[in-house]
Amino acid sequence: MKQPCGCGNDGEETHEPLGPVEIKGRVTGTMRVNPEAADYGSYSTFFFDGTVTDVPQRVLNRDNDRQRAVIQVVTGSAYIGKKEQIASGITGNGWLQTSTMQPLEVRNKQEVWVMGVAAAACTIAVLNERWDSARTD
């Protein structure tokens, strides 16, 4: 249905209403976007008992459809990073996260590993938000 365009010609000129337009290209400056929620979310909890030398656990697989992940150390302390970093046994490799810190937000596709610090118990909570891999919009 044609509608007056508002161009000041007293409604004499009419045009088709504008709708969404698909734009493909590259943005080189800043651009305002409306954020959209991820399609799926999963929640996991990992426990390190601290009674033996903890081994690294993979808490996030490589995921090309990840929007973001949030890793929260609920109790204790843990190293977070790539397996090679935290499995080396060298103190300071990976990101040291404690329960008193803000959750760590991950916005990349790579897998993430966690290992408890020393012989202390800790609990890790992980939220993984991802897009539908079949999504076309």
Side-chain angles (χ1 to χ4, degrees):
M1 175 178 162
K2 294 190 174 190
Q3 298 176 352
C5 68
C7 64
N9 289 340
D10 298 326
E12 294 174 12
E13 228 177 291
T14 59
H15 305 281
E16 293 293 327
L18 294 177
V21 177
E22 184 175 337
I23 299 174
K24 293 185 179 185
R26 181 181 170 154
V27 176
T28 56
T30 59
M31 183 172 104
R32 184 183 169 112
V33 296
N34 294 323
E36 189 176 324
D39 295 314
Y40 303 106
S42 65
Y43 308 87
S44 304
T45 305
F46 298 85
F47 302 98
F48 294 88
D49 60 18
T51 58
V52 297
T53 303
D54 288 320
V55 295
Q57 289 188 32
R58 182 172 46 210
V59 296
L60 291 168
N61 292 320
R62 178 171 176 81
D63 188 347
N64 290 332
D65 297 314
R66 181 180 301 133
Q67 178 197 15
R68 75 178 186 133
V70 179
I71 301 172
Q72 173 69 55
V73 177
V74 180
T75 61
S77 301
Y79 286 112
I80 301 171
K82 296 188 302 183
K83 183 178 183 181
E84 297 79 18
Q85 288 178 303
I86 60 176
S88 69
I90 301 171
T91 302
N93 275 354
W95 175 262
L96 177 61
Q97 183 83 7
T98 68
S99 60
T100 60
M101 299 169 73
Q102 292 292 322
L104 178 65
E105 187 171 320
V106 177
R107 290 193 176 264
N108 60 47
K109 301 173 184 181
Q110 75 182 37
E111 64 182 12
V112 178
W113 291 71
V114 172
M115 185 173 71
V117 174
C122 69
T123 303
I124 313 293
V126 179
L127 161 66
N128 187 29
E129 296 179 338
R130 54 188 318 274
W131 303 114
D132 182 350
S133 60
R135 187 180 174 137
T136 59
D137 60 343

